[in-house]
Amino acid sequence: CSSDLPLVVTVYFALVRRDPVQGTLMGAGLGLFEDALTHHAIGINGVAKTVAGFLAGSVGVRIDVENRTIRLLLIFLLSLMCSAINVFIYRILLGLNLDWSWLAEGMKAVGNTLIAIVLFPLLQGLRRRICGAGRQDNCRGEESNEETRRPDNGTEQRIEIRAILRCRHNVFEQQ
Protein backbone atom coordinates (compact mmCIF):
# COMPACT_ATOMS: atom_id res chain seq x y z
CA CYS A 1 0.00 0.00 0.00
CA SER A 2 1.47 3.33 -0.98
CA SER A 3 1.00 6.62 0.78
CA ASP A 4 -0.31 9.81 -0.78
CA LEU A 5 2.23 12.55 -0.07
CA PRO A 6 0.58 15.12 -2.40
CA LEU A 7 -2.65 14.73 -0.45
CA VAL A 8 -0.88 15.29 2.88
CA VAL A 9 0.84 18.43 1.56
CA THR A 10 -2.43 19.72 0.05
CA VAL A 11 -4.31 19.25 3.30
CA TYR A 12 -1.54 20.88 5.35
CA PHE A 13 -1.40 24.04 3.27
CA ALA A 14 -5.19 24.25 2.92
CA LEU A 15 -5.54 24.02 6.71
CA VAL A 16 -2.75 26.49 7.46
CA ARG A 17 -3.86 29.08 4.92
CA ARG A 18 -7.54 28.61 5.81
CA ASP A 19 -8.59 29.47 2.30
CA PRO A 20 -10.78 27.09 0.25
CA VAL A 21 -9.72 28.68 -3.05
CA GLN A 22 -6.00 28.22 -2.39
CA GLY A 23 -6.66 24.69 -1.11
CA THR A 24 -8.58 23.94 -4.30
CA LEU A 25 -5.82 25.28 -6.54
CA MET A 26 -3.06 23.47 -4.63
CA GLY A 27 -5.03 20.21 -4.73
CA ALA A 28 -5.69 20.56 -8.45
CA GLY A 29 -2.06 21.35 -9.21
CA LEU A 30 -0.57 18.55 -7.13
CA GLY A 31 -3.21 16.07 -8.31
CA LEU A 32 -2.58 16.83 -11.98
CA PHE A 33 1.18 16.66 -11.38
CA GLU A 34 0.70 13.24 -9.76
CA ASP A 35 -1.44 12.12 -12.71
CA ALA A 36 1.24 13.22 -15.14
CA LEU A 37 3.81 11.04 -13.37
CA THR A 38 1.66 7.89 -13.26
CA HIS A 39 0.03 5.64 -15.82
CA HIS A 40 -3.47 6.69 -14.72
CA ALA A 41 -5.85 8.82 -16.74
CA ILE A 42 -5.06 12.52 -16.44
CA GLY A 43 -7.38 14.27 -14.04
CA ILE A 44 -8.45 11.47 -11.69
CA ASN A 45 -6.12 12.44 -8.85
CA GLY A 46 -6.59 16.07 -9.82
CA VAL A 47 -10.33 15.87 -9.14
CA ALA A 48 -9.89 13.97 -5.87
CA LYS A 49 -7.25 16.32 -4.49
CA THR A 50 -9.18 19.39 -5.67
CA VAL A 51 -12.15 18.30 -3.58
CA ALA A 52 -9.88 17.45 -0.63
CA GLY A 53 -8.14 20.84 -0.82
CA PHE A 54 -11.45 22.67 -0.95
CA LEU A 55 -12.89 20.74 2.00
CA ALA A 56 -9.73 21.17 4.08
CA GLY A 57 -9.66 24.91 3.40
CA SER A 58 -13.36 25.19 4.23
CA VAL A 59 -12.92 23.31 7.50
CA GLY A 60 -9.92 25.50 8.33
CA VAL A 61 -12.12 28.58 8.08
CA ARG A 62 -14.86 27.18 10.32
CA ILE A 63 -13.07 25.36 13.14
CA ASP A 64 -9.80 25.61 15.04
CA VAL A 65 -7.42 23.35 13.15
CA GLU A 66 -4.42 24.05 15.38
CA ASN A 67 -5.46 20.96 17.36
CA ARG A 68 -3.36 18.00 16.17
CA THR A 69 -6.16 15.50 16.72
CA ILE A 70 -8.46 17.43 14.39
CA ARG A 71 -5.73 17.68 11.74
CA LEU A 72 -5.00 13.96 11.90
CA LEU A 73 -8.68 13.05 11.80
CA LEU A 74 -9.12 15.29 8.76
CA ILE A 75 -6.19 13.75 6.91
CA PHE A 76 -7.56 10.27 7.63
CA LEU A 77 -11.09 11.13 6.45
CA LEU A 78 -9.92 13.06 3.39
CA SER A 79 -7.66 10.18 2.42
CA LEU A 80 -10.64 7.81 2.49
CA MET A 81 -12.69 10.35 0.55
CA CYS A 82 -10.00 10.65 -2.16
CA SER A 83 -9.95 6.86 -2.49
CA ALA A 84 -13.74 6.81 -2.83
CA ILE A 85 -13.61 9.53 -5.51
CA ASN A 86 -10.96 7.57 -7.42
CA VAL A 87 -13.11 4.43 -7.31
CA PHE A 88 -16.19 6.39 -8.41
CA ILE A 89 -14.36 7.90 -11.37
CA TYR A 90 -12.76 4.61 -12.44
CA ARG A 91 -15.77 2.33 -12.02
CA ILE A 92 -18.77 4.59 -12.65
CA LEU A 93 -17.60 7.37 -14.95
CA LEU A 94 -14.94 5.52 -16.94
CA GLY A 95 -16.36 2.00 -16.63
CA LEU A 96 -12.93 0.51 -15.93
CA ASN A 97 -12.21 -2.44 -13.70
CA LEU A 98 -10.28 -1.42 -10.61
CA ASP A 99 -8.97 -3.73 -7.91
CA TRP A 100 -9.96 -2.00 -4.70
CA SER A 101 -10.60 -3.01 -1.10
CA TRP A 102 -11.67 -1.02 1.94
CA LEU A 103 -8.96 -2.67 4.02
CA ALA A 104 -6.17 -1.56 1.69
CA GLU A 105 -7.56 1.97 1.47
CA GLY A 106 -8.01 2.09 5.25
CA MET A 107 -4.36 1.11 5.69
CA LYS A 108 -3.37 3.77 3.16
CA ALA A 109 -5.34 6.35 5.18
CA VAL A 110 -3.56 5.23 8.36
CA GLY A 111 -0.24 5.54 6.51
CA ASN A 112 -1.12 9.06 5.36
CA THR A 113 -2.01 9.95 8.94
CA LEU A 114 1.34 8.64 10.20
CA ILE A 115 3.16 10.62 7.52
CA ALA A 116 1.21 13.72 8.58
CA ILE A 117 2.37 13.24 12.18
CA VAL A 118 5.96 13.63 10.97
CA LEU A 119 5.47 15.98 8.01
CA PHE A 120 3.18 18.64 9.55
CA PRO A 121 5.77 19.83 12.15
CA LEU A 122 8.49 19.83 9.47
CA LEU A 123 6.36 21.92 7.12
CA GLN A 124 5.46 24.27 9.99
CA GLY A 125 9.15 24.81 10.73
CA LEU A 126 9.89 25.42 7.05
CA ARG A 127 6.99 27.87 6.88
CA ARG A 128 8.33 29.80 9.86
CA ARG A 129 11.81 29.91 8.37
CA ILE A 130 10.55 31.14 4.99
CA CYS A 131 8.25 33.75 6.50
CA GLY A 132 10.93 35.66 8.32
CA ALA A 133 12.90 33.54 10.77
CA GLY A 134 10.01 32.74 13.04
CA ARG A 135 8.09 36.00 12.67
CA GLN A 136 4.49 35.01 12.16
CA ASP A 137 3.24 38.56 11.61
CA ASN A 138 3.97 38.38 7.92
CA CYS A 139 2.73 34.89 7.06
CA ARG A 140 -0.54 34.18 5.33
CA GLY A 141 -2.88 32.31 7.59
CA GLU A 142 -5.16 33.11 10.42
CA GLU A 143 -3.98 32.63 13.95
CA SER A 144 -5.92 33.34 17.06
CA ASN A 145 -4.37 34.49 20.29
CA GLU A 146 -6.23 34.89 23.51
CA GLU A 147 -5.04 37.44 25.98
CA THR A 148 -6.47 38.63 29.25
CA ARG A 149 -6.87 42.34 29.91
CA ARG A 150 -7.87 44.20 33.06
CA PRO A 151 -10.17 47.13 32.44
CA ASP A 152 -10.27 50.05 34.83
CA ASN A 153 -12.86 48.37 37.06
CA GLY A 154 -10.51 45.43 37.79
CA THR A 155 -12.53 42.64 36.17
CA GLU A 156 -10.89 40.34 33.70
CA GLN A 157 -12.15 40.01 30.18
CA ARG A 158 -11.02 37.52 27.64
CA ILE A 159 -10.44 39.12 24.31
CA GLU A 160 -9.78 37.00 21.29
CA ILE A 161 -7.54 38.69 18.79
CA ARG A 162 -7.48 37.43 15.22
CA ALA A 163 -4.81 38.64 12.85
CA ILE A 164 -4.74 37.93 9.14
CA LEU A 165 -1.14 37.41 8.27
CA ARG A 166 0.24 37.76 4.78
CA CYS A 167 3.61 36.28 3.81
CA ARG A 168 3.56 37.06 0.11
CA HIS A 169 3.38 40.82 0.43
CA ASN A 170 5.42 41.53 3.54
CA VAL A 171 8.42 39.38 2.73
CA PHE A 172 9.07 41.33 -0.46
CA GLU A 173 8.39 44.69 1.21
CA GLN A 174 10.94 43.98 3.95
CA GLN A 175 13.77 43.35 1.51
Side-chain angles (χ1 to χ4, degrees), residues 112-124:
N112 288 340
T113 305
L114 293 175
I115 288 173
I117 290 172
V118 175
L119 192 63
F120 280 9
L122 293 175
L123 290 172
Q124 184 67 32

Side-chain angles (χ1 to χ4, degrees), residues 50-119:
T50 298
V51 173
F54 175 78
L55 290 176
S58 296
V59 167
V61 168
R62 288 171 178 71
I63 65 171
D64 179 26
V65 291
E66 297 301 319
N67 185 339
R68 288 183 188 195
T69 306
I70 292 174
R71 285 184 178 190
L72 296 178
L73 181 64
L74 277 171
I75 194 72
F76 180 80
L77 293 174
L78 290 173
S79 180
L80 289 177
M81 185 210 59
C82 280
S83 296
I85 289 173
N86 284 341
V87 168
F88 175 77
I89 291 173
Y90 267 105
R91 287 189 177 172
I92 305 298
L93 295 180
L94 297 178
L96 299 174
N97 189 13
L98 178 69
D99 294 332
W100 189 80
S101 74
W102 277 106
L103 179 62
E105 297 306 318
M107 295 304 291
K108 182 178 177 181
V110 169
N112 288 340
T113 305
L114 293 175
I115 288 173
I117 290 172
V118 175
L119 192 63

